[in-house]
């Protein structure tokens, strides 16, 4: 590895903390770049929605947070962890897409003074507005009291194509992508360290979840491989220098889903017949497969039946 992971930099918050805060930890994966790895689980009252990877990149004048967590309480734990690694102001909170586990922590950061600038893909505001009520109702159902205080915080600045964010001596490169995992995916690249934050364009260990276009996702995956990144940070799962291997495993799964669905459509099968007859072996190696494989088949069928 050209840039070693500094595992051992474990920041456990002290004093009276909640269970989710007590397990909050940052690993310094490159100089000035810190990663918190979310758990492979569904949101619940214990984890407060802390299921996605989140991090902070520290420049000379300020810091940027990349994804903020799955609830206000999760965001508050993240904010405390950030404060343990830097006293610099947080000038940006970047959301890689509109799913709740990546942006509902915004509510904690919105109370800061000065308030950070929230940044996301230009298509995120409409996508979030359309689903916010459903997301909040589901969060209440899953987290109970741990969901209190969680409200959507839309971006102040949106990315159409590419954008540069200056942290002082360190410039982040943001790029939006065609519809793939969602229709508002955003990556963040730090040339100073070679770290690429892929959001949910990459899942590792945990099964990918399709909420955009399976054809688009496979096409974007090919483009991602060409990016000059040393370390890749997925939206879920292990970060590392072998991130392109992670893309290959994900591509293989998505390709199998597309192949199965296309074959079923060619045989004249309905959606229910396609789901019931699909080979579950395609999802066997992935964590949380029972919760998401059928959803992926359903989303792929809705797209591919119109080819």
């Amino acid at each position: 590895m050209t840039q070693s992971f500094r595992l051992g930099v474990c920041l456990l918050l002290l004093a009276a903390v909640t269970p989710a805060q007590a397990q909050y930890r940052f690993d310094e994966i490159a100089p000035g770049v810190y990663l918190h790895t979310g758990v492979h689980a569904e949101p619940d009252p214990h984890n407060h929605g802390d299921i996605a990877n989140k991090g902070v990149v520290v420049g000379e004048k300020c810091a940027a947070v990349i994804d903020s967590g799955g609830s206000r309480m999760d965001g508050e734990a993240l904010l405390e962890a950030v404060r343990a690694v830097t006293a610099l102001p947080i000038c940006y909170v970047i959301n890689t897409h509109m799913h709740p586990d990546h942006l509902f922590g915004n509510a904690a950061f919105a109370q800061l003074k000065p308030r950070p600038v929230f940044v996301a893909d230009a298509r995120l505001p409409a996508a979030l507005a359309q689903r916010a009520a459903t997301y909040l109702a589901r969060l209440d159902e899953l987290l109970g009291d741990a969901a209190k205080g969680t409200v959507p915080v839309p971006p102040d600045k949106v990315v159409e194509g590419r954008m540069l964010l200056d942290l002082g001596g360190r410039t982040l490169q943001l790029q939006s992508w065609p519809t793939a995992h969602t229709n508002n995916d955003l990556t963040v690249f730090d040339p100073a360290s070679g770290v690429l934050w892929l959001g949910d364009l990459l899942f590792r260990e945990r099964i990918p979840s399709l909420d955009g276009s399976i054809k688009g996702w496979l096409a974007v995956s090919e483009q991602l491989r060409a990016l000059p990144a040393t370390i890749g940070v997925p939206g879920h799962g292990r970060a590392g220098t072998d991130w392109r291997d992670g893309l290959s495993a994900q591509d293989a799964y998505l390709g199998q889903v597309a192949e199965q669905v296309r074959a079923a459509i060619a045989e004249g099968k309905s959606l229910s017949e396609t789901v019931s007859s699909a080979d579950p072996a395609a999802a066997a190696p992935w964590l949380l497969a029972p919760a998401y494989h059928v959803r992926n088949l359903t989303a792929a069928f809705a797209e591919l039946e119109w080819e």
Side-chain angles (χ1 to χ4, degrees):
M1 295 174 62
T2 58
Q3 300 199 44
S4 62
F5 282 68
R6 304 177 191 182
L7 300 173
V9 179
C10 180
L11 304 171
L12 296 179
L13 304 178
L14 305 176
V17 295
T18 66
Q21 289 172 319
Q23 66 189 11
Y24 239 82
R25 155 184 172 162
F26 267 134
D27 295 318
E28 188 174 15
I29 60 174
V33 182
Y34 300 86
L35 167 66
H36 172 75
T37 303
V39 297
H40 288 311
E42 292 290 81
D44 63 33
H46 177 74
N47 62 40
H48 300 170
D50 175 24
I51 65 172
N53 293 345
K54 299 172 282 291
V56 60
V57 180
V58 182
E60 295 175 0
K61 69 175 184 180
C62 65
V65 168
I66 302 172
D67 285 334
S68 61
S71 68
R72 174 169 177 162
M73 193 171 288
D74 187 28
E76 289 171 348
L78 174 62
L79 177 56
E80 283 197 62
V82 172
R83 284 296 175 232
V85 298
T86 181
L88 290 173
I90 299 168
C91 47
Y92 300 106
V93 175
I94 304 166
N95 298 131
T96 60
H97 61 291
M98 87 296 196
H99 283 155
D101 51 323
H102 294 263
L103 57 62
F104 268 171
N106 286 5
F109 292 86
Q111 306 305 311
L112 293 177
K113 295 185 185 302
R115 186 181 189 269
V117 176
F118 292 86
V119 186
D121 179 87
R123 296 160 293 182
L124 184 144
L128 180 60
Q130 184 180 29
R131 303 181 181 201
T134 300
Y135 284 165
L136 288 170
R138 181 62 173 157
L139 195 74
D140 285 340
E141 182 181 319
L142 292 172
L143 268 59
D145 288 344
K148 288 182 178 178
T150 302
V151 293
V153 178
D156 306 302
K157 183 186 291 284
V158 297
V159 182
E160 295 184 84
R162 297 184 181 182
M163 178 181 289
L164 301 179
L165 297 180
D166 180 17
L167 307 183
R170 185 171 223 152
T171 300
L172 300 181
Q173 299 177 0
L174 280 57
Q175 182 169 342
S176 59
W177 296 90
T179 300
H181 167 62
T182 69
N183 77 339
N184 53 93
D185 298 308
L186 186 73
T187 56
V188 183
F189 180 54
D190 174 35
S193 64
V195 176
L196 172 66
W197 299 80
L198 294 125
D200 280 2
L201 288 172
L202 175 60
F203 285 72
R204 304 194 76 173
E205 298 108 36
R206 176 184 175 130
I207 190 169
S209 63
L210 177 61
D211 196 13
S213 164
I214 194 166
K215 293 192 294 184
W217 200 345
L218 288 166
V220 165
S221 183
E222 283 301 306
Q223 298 176 61
L224 291 171
R225 293 173 186 279
L227 297 179
T230 304
I231 297 172
V233 180
H236 299 268
R238 178 177 56 83
T241 57
D242 61 343
W243 61 276
R244 292 180 181 85
D245 293 339
L247 283 176
S248 295
Q250 180 175 272
D251 289 349
Y253 168 72
L254 294 174
Q256 287 176 326
V257 169
E259 181 180 355
Q260 291 174 10
V261 168
R262 285 189 174 111
I265 291 171
E267 294 169 10
K269 292 182 178 178
S270 65
L271 171 58
S272 60
E273 291 170 331
T274 300
V275 169
S276 62
S277 64
D279 182 4
W286 297 94
L287 298 175
L288 302 181
Y292 290 92
H293 184 53
V294 169
R295 297 186 201 178
N296 292 338
L297 290 167
T298 302
F301 189 97
E303 176 183 359
L304 300 178
E305 69 174 330
W306 300 105
E307 284 187 315

